[in-house]
Amino acid sequence: MVKVSIGIPIYNVGRYLRECLNSIMNQTFKDFEVIMVDDGSTDDSFMICQEYVARDNRFKLFHQENKGLAGAQETLV
């Protein structure tokens, strides 16, 4: 069982997403999982998330129609 779960709600943040996910991936603490919830992004955010899921099995991705921040956070719970 992982020690830390990191939940990231995502909506049209492709411009900043790689920087965020690389920062998490490069931490010295390695016992974590990243749960990304793409909230119906219309930019390249979903494709970027898929890259990280393919590259690192600690990254998980959920995709849903746009429900807003509260809806994305509900998916994380």
Side-chain angles (χ1 to χ4, degrees):
M1 182 175 204
V2 296
K3 291 189 177 186
V4 176
S5 293
I6 303 166
I8 306 174
I10 296 166
Y11 181 74
N12 290 346
V13 291
R15 182 175 176 188
Y16 311 101
L17 190 53
R18 281 190 176 90
E19 181 180 356
C20 172
L21 298 178
N22 284 338
S23 175
I24 294 168
M25 189 184 302
N26 293 325
Q27 296 298 310
T28 56
F29 182 79
K30 299 295 182 189
D31 194 9
F32 64 84
E33 67 179 351
V34 178
I35 303 168
M36 302 174 288
V37 179
D38 178 63
D39 192 36
S41 294
T42 57
D43 67 355
D44 60 347
S45 295
F46 183 70
M47 292 187 315
I48 293 169
C49 291
Q50 289 178 314
E51 292 172 18
Y52 284 81
V53 169
R55 192 177 348 172
D56 191 322
N57 66 359
R58 296 174 296 177
F59 286 72
K60 313 287 188 265
L61 175 59
F62 295 91
H63 180 73
Q64 65 186 27
E65 291 183 22
N66 184 270
K67 297 180 182 178
L69 181 58
Q73 290 173 334
E74 284 179 6
T75 302
L76 290 170
V77 176

